[in-house]
mmCIF file of all heavy atoms in Angstrom:
data_model
loop_
_atom_site.group_PDB
_atom_site.id
_atom_site.type_symbol
_atom_site.label_atom_id
_atom_site.label_comp_id
_atom_site.label_asym_id
_atom_site.label_seq_id
_atom_site.Cartn_x
_atom_site.Cartn_y
_atom_site.Cartn_z
ATOM 1 N N VAL A 212 4.532 20.500 8.324
ATOM 2 C CA VAL A 212 4.947 20.976 7.005
ATOM 3 C C VAL A 212 5.391 19.811 6.125
ATOM 4 O O VAL A 212 5.024 19.712 4.952
ATOM 5 C CB VAL A 212 6.079 22.011 7.143
ATOM 6 C CG1 VAL A 212 6.653 22.372 5.780
ATOM 7 C CG2 VAL A 212 5.589 23.261 7.855
ATOM 8 N N GLU A 213 6.154 18.898 6.698
ATOM 9 C CA GLU A 213 6.759 17.829 5.904
ATOM 10 C C GLU A 213 5.751 16.821 5.377
ATOM 11 O O GLU A 213 5.942 16.255 4.304
ATOM 12 C CB GLU A 213 7.837 17.113 6.742
ATOM 13 C CG GLU A 213 9.076 17.961 6.909
ATOM 14 C CD GLU A 213 10.060 17.408 7.910
ATOM 15 O OE1 GLU A 213 9.644 16.705 8.857
ATOM 16 O OE2 GLU A 213 11.250 17.690 7.777
ATOM 17 N N VAL A 214 4.684 16.583 6.112
ATOM 18 C CA VAL A 214 3.719 15.578 5.649
ATOM 19 C C VAL A 214 2.512 16.201 4.964
ATOM 20 O O VAL A 214 1.604 15.487 4.549
ATOM 21 C CB VAL A 214 3.260 14.650 6.807
ATOM 22 C CG1 VAL A 214 4.457 13.926 7.398
ATOM 23 C CG2 VAL A 214 2.511 15.420 7.882
ATOM 24 N N SER A 215 2.516 17.539 4.821
ATOM 25 C CA SER A 215 1.446 18.228 4.100
ATOM 26 C C SER A 215 2.043 18.828 2.842
ATOM 27 O O SER A 215 2.708 19.851 2.901
ATOM 28 C CB SER A 215 0.822 19.329 4.964
ATOM 29 O OG SER A 215 0.345 18.807 6.182
ATOM 30 N N GLU A 216 1.795 18.207 1.708
ATOM 31 C CA GLU A 216 2.501 18.573 0.475
ATOM 32 C C GLU A 216 2.308 20.037 0.102
ATOM 33 O O GLU A 216 3.267 20.751 -0.182
ATOM 34 C CB GLU A 216 2.036 17.688 -0.684
ATOM 35 C CG GLU A 216 2.759 17.987 -1.981
ATOM 36 C CD GLU A 216 2.310 17.063 -3.100
ATOM 37 O OE1 GLU A 216 1.353 16.303 -2.894
ATOM 38 O OE2 GLU A 216 2.923 17.120 -4.173
ATOM 39 N N LEU A 217 1.085 20.520 0.084
ATOM 40 C CA LEU A 217 0.840 21.897 -0.340
ATOM 41 C C LEU A 217 1.430 22.879 0.658
ATOM 42 O O LEU A 217 2.052 23.869 0.283
ATOM 43 C CB LEU A 217 -0.661 22.149 -0.519
ATOM 44 C CG LEU A 217 -1.317 21.337 -1.640
ATOM 45 C CD1 LEU A 217 -2.811 21.626 -1.700
ATOM 46 C CD2 LEU A 217 -0.674 21.664 -2.992
ATOM 47 N N ARG A 218 1.252 22.598 1.951
ATOM 48 C CA ARG A 218 1.845 23.465 2.971
ATOM 49 C C ARG A 218 3.368 23.447 2.856
ATOM 50 O O ARG A 218 4.040 24.439 3.053
ATOM 51 C CB ARG A 218 1.439 22.990 4.374
ATOM 52 C CG ARG A 218 -0.022 23.188 4.703
ATOM 53 C CD ARG A 218 -0.245 22.885 6.163
ATOM 54 N NE ARG A 218 -1.606 22.482 6.415
ATOM 55 C CZ ARG A 218 -2.054 22.101 7.607
ATOM 56 N NH1 ARG A 218 -1.256 22.101 8.625
ATOM 57 N NH2 ARG A 218 -3.308 21.730 7.763
ATOM 58 N N SER A 219 3.914 22.269 2.544
ATOM 59 C CA SER A 219 5.363 22.141 2.439
ATOM 60 C C SER A 219 5.911 23.043 1.345
ATOM 61 O O SER A 219 6.906 23.726 1.525
ATOM 62 C CB SER A 219 5.724 20.675 2.159
ATOM 63 O OG SER A 219 7.110 20.515 2.022
ATOM 64 N N ARG A 220 5.242 23.049 0.192
ATOM 65 C CA ARG A 220 5.713 23.877 -0.911
ATOM 66 C C ARG A 220 5.667 25.358 -0.538
ATOM 67 O O ARG A 220 6.612 26.105 -0.774
ATOM 68 C CB ARG A 220 4.858 23.618 -2.153
ATOM 69 C CG ARG A 220 5.100 22.258 -2.788
ATOM 70 C CD ARG A 220 4.139 22.040 -3.938
ATOM 71 N NE ARG A 220 4.353 20.731 -4.553
ATOM 72 C CZ ARG A 220 3.522 20.190 -5.424
ATOM 73 N NH1 ARG A 220 2.423 20.839 -5.782
ATOM 74 N NH2 ARG A 220 3.767 18.999 -5.939
ATOM 75 N N LYS A 221 4.540 25.774 0.058
ATOM 76 C CA LYS A 221 4.386 27.177 0.420
ATOM 77 C C LYS A 221 5.395 27.570 1.483
ATOM 78 O O LYS A 221 6.035 28.625 1.409
ATOM 79 C CB LYS A 221 2.961 27.424 0.921
ATOM 80 C CG LYS A 221 2.677 28.883 1.265
ATOM 81 C CD LYS A 221 1.227 29.053 1.677
ATOM 82 C CE LYS A 221 0.940 30.514 2.026
ATOM 83 N NZ LYS A 221 -0.462 30.706 2.449
ATOM 84 N N PHE A 222 5.573 26.708 2.496
ATOM 85 C CA PHE A 222 6.501 27.022 3.580
ATOM 86 C C PHE A 222 7.926 27.080 3.061
ATOM 87 O O PHE A 222 8.698 27.958 3.436
ATOM 88 C CB PHE A 222 6.399 25.964 4.689
ATOM 89 C CG PHE A 222 7.250 26.283 5.891
ATOM 90 C CD1 PHE A 222 6.735 27.053 6.921
ATOM 91 C CD2 PHE A 222 8.555 25.834 5.977
ATOM 92 C CE1 PHE A 222 7.522 27.354 8.027
ATOM 93 C CE2 PHE A 222 9.341 26.136 7.076
ATOM 94 C CZ PHE A 222 8.816 26.896 8.110
ATOM 95 N N ALA A 223 8.291 26.138 2.199
ATOM 96 C CA ALA A 223 9.647 26.109 1.674
ATOM 97 C C ALA A 223 9.956 27.378 0.897
ATOM 98 O O ALA A 223 11.059 27.928 0.985
ATOM 99 C CB ALA A 223 9.847 24.888 0.790
#
Side-chain angles (χ1 to χ4, degrees):
V212 172
E213 287 170 332
V214 300
S215 304
E216 182 178 7
L217 295 178
R218 291 189 205 177
S219 179
R220 289 175 180 168
K221 183 177 180 181
F222 185 89

